[in-house]
Amino acid sequence: MEKITTIKIREMKDSGEKIVMLATYDYLTAKMVDEAGADAVLVGDSLANVVLGHRDTLSVGMEEMLHHTKAVATGVKRALVVGDMPFMSYQASTEDAIRNAGRFLKEGHAEAVKVEGGRKMIRKIEAIIDSGVPVMGHLGLTPQWVHQFGGYRVRGKTWSAARAILEDAKRLEQAGVFSLVLEAMPWQLAKLITEKLEIPTIGIGAGPYCDGQVLVLHDLIGLTGPNLPKFVRRYAEVDKEIMKALESFKRDVKSGKFPTLAQSYEMPPEEMRKLIRGFRQKR
């Protein structure tokens, strides 16, 4: 079993092998994703929405991200584990950026971090990389900037906006990121960026021409609500199976059908007789 590293991720672009990345947040699902053959596992700040129930990604902090990253890393043997740096863990200062990125490797046992943003984040990204932490970039719809964007909207639809994203992609490559997530942008722009860069691109809502694709596991298997982004394809309806199981459990408990003696522990007859005799003697 070959361990996937940042170097291997870059080599996959050269060989034309598509990169499979999934976002998940706990030991059990990470173990399943790894065993299914994913190349990278992202512990996304979408933890805030998917697991913690917040309306956006801005509410999740470093301690929560480290807690879940460590759980994921425990379940993964082959895939590259990437920790998503949460809002305000790197924006305020270069010192914060280096310290918090290092915590993902030291405490969370990740092997790389993901940082949102383009030219404004270049110096911090360079500092993180110089400190020994590999960085995956993220352009297009960057959810930590949702309030600046005025909502979750496709980015790069005009030529000027597209040109700015392309320039940011080139700068991130020059800064040393080993790969780049492209989110919610026209496929033509994502294709152009993919062709112009030597580092691999990983798309989410960026069309079929990226070097790889990422989805949130919970979206893919049907654990999240019906109002999903256009780019999500559901491969299972696990939520329906869970509801069926829960409803059956409720019916069986209410009717007395669960548990039966088959789900119960039994005392050896001789020990039971001793127990009864003990009660009688006390009386």
Side-chain angles (χ1 to χ4, degrees):
M1 179 179 66
E2 181 184 11
K3 181 71 178 78
I4 303 297
T5 65
T6 58
I7 300 300
K8 175 62 177 176
I9 293 293
R10 294 190 63 160
E11 289 174 348
M12 290 173 74
K13 179 184 179 96
D14 297 333
S15 66
E17 180 181 356
K18 292 287 188 178
I19 301 162
V20 177
M21 185 162 78
L22 284 162
T24 195
Y25 320 95
D26 62 81
Y27 165 80
L28 182 60
T29 58
K31 185 173 183 291
M32 295 171 67
V33 164
D34 189 52
E35 291 175 353
D39 302 304
V41 180
L42 171 67
V43 190
D45 61 358
S46 48
L47 165 71
N49 314 87
V50 178
V51 176
L52 303 180
H54 300 309
R55 65 180 182 179
D56 54 40
T57 65
L58 305 181
S59 302
V60 73
M62 275 296 299
E63 300 309 319
E64 293 160 312
M65 289 300 303
L66 289 172
H67 176 83
H68 286 267
T69 301
K70 188 174 181 180
V72 166
T74 303
V76 171
K77 304 302 180 188
R78 174 183 174 272
L80 180 76
V81 178
V82 182
D84 205 355
M85 295 193 70
F87 183 60
M88 294 311 297
S89 67
Y90 59 95
Q91 287 94 336
S93 70
T94 300
E95 290 74 19
D96 281 350
I98 295 171
R99 183 187 313 110
N100 288 323
R103 291 187 69 192
F104 269 102
L105 271 63
K106 187 173 183 178
E107 300 174 42
H109 302 161
E111 295 149 330
V113 298
K114 183 172 75 62
V115 179
E116 293 185 12
R119 64 199 69 187
K120 295 178 181 179
M121 294 295 115
I122 291 293
R123 289 185 180 178
K124 295 182 177 70
I125 289 171
E126 288 176 334
I128 292 171
I129 294 170
D130 287 344
S131 74
V133 180
V135 174
M136 174 182 286
H138 185 164
L139 292 176
L141 172 56
T142 45
Q144 292 176 18
W145 273 260
V146 62
H147 294 304
Q148 286 193 8
F149 296 160
Y152 294 97
R153 300 178 178 178
V154 176
R155 306 292 296 169
K157 294 180 73 173
T158 67
W159 73 269
S160 57
R163 183 175 64 180
I165 293 173
L166 176 59
E167 288 301 317
D168 279 347
K170 291 178 179 178
R171 292 191 185 189
L172 286 173
E173 180 176 54
Q174 292 168 359
V177 301
F178 71 91
S179 60
L180 182 60
V181 171
L182 302 178
E183 181 171 358
M185 65 176 62
W187 66 263
Q188 297 96 328
L189 173 58
K191 183 174 184 290
L192 180 61
I193 292 172
T194 301
E195 292 170 348
K196 294 291 184 180
L197 299 187
E198 294 183 9
I199 59 171
T201 61
I202 301 175
I204 177 167
Y209 299 105
C210 295
D211 298 303
Q213 297 293 329
V214 58
L215 282 179
V216 172
L217 173 68
H218 298 59
D219 291 342
L220 183 152
I221 64 175
L223 281 179
T224 46
N227 298 319
L228 293 171
K230 179 182 180 180
F231 55 75
V232 173
R233 178 185 293 179
R234 282 224 162 135
Y235 288 83
E237 299 289 347
V238 174
D239 57 341
K240 294 179 181 178
E241 294 302 314
I242 291 175
M243 287 304 299
K244 288 179 184 178
L246 295 175
E247 291 164 358
S248 295
F249 174 68
K250 175 185 174 182
R251 284 195 302 269
D252 286 354
V253 171
K254 292 285 188 181
S255 66
K257 293 181 179 179
F258 178 85
T260 67
L261 292 181
Q263 290 89 44
S264 304
Y265 299 104
E266 185 174 350
M267 182 182 289
E270 180 58 30
E271 298 301 317
M272 186 64 195
R273 285 192 291 269
K274 291 178 183 178
L275 180 63
I276 293 171
R277 284 198 301 268
F279 272 113
R280 285 174 180 171
Q281 290 172 0
K282 285 184 179 181
R283 290 179 182 176

